[in-house]
Amino acid sequence: EKNFSRQEGKLRADLSAAEVVPAGEIERAVYNAPFSLPFTRRNEVMVAVSALPARASAVSGPALAAQ
């Protein structure tokens, strides 16, 4: 839960810096079995966006990596 909160904060900051407005709630995507060792888990935070700003093609970073 603490890691999710930290990653959610990073996502919100990256979206804000790129002037991208979320179109919904931030969600958690969990890909591993509950018994996986913590350092081998692959989890993500994600949110839908309604549109990207015109300058988004010039912006790089984790918030826009999944275009």
Side-chain angles (χ1 to χ4, degrees):
E1 188 63 36
K2 183 171 50 172
N3 189 37
F4 175 75
S5 297
R6 185 175 64 244
Q7 296 302 325
E8 178 183 7
K10 285 182 181 180
L11 178 59
R12 288 184 188 278
D14 287 346
L15 290 173
S16 179
E19 299 175 5
V20 175
V21 179
E25 296 296 317
I26 292 183
E27 298 178 37
R28 178 188 319 222
V30 180
Y31 302 107
N32 303 101
F35 53 81
S36 297
L37 297 172
F39 60 87
T40 64
R41 292 184 183 161
R42 297 290 303 189
N43 303 315
E44 298 179 3
V45 293
M46 58 190 173
V47 66
V49 297
S50 56
L52 297 175
R55 64 176 194 82
S57 61
V59 177
S60 64
L64 299 177
Q67 291 185 27

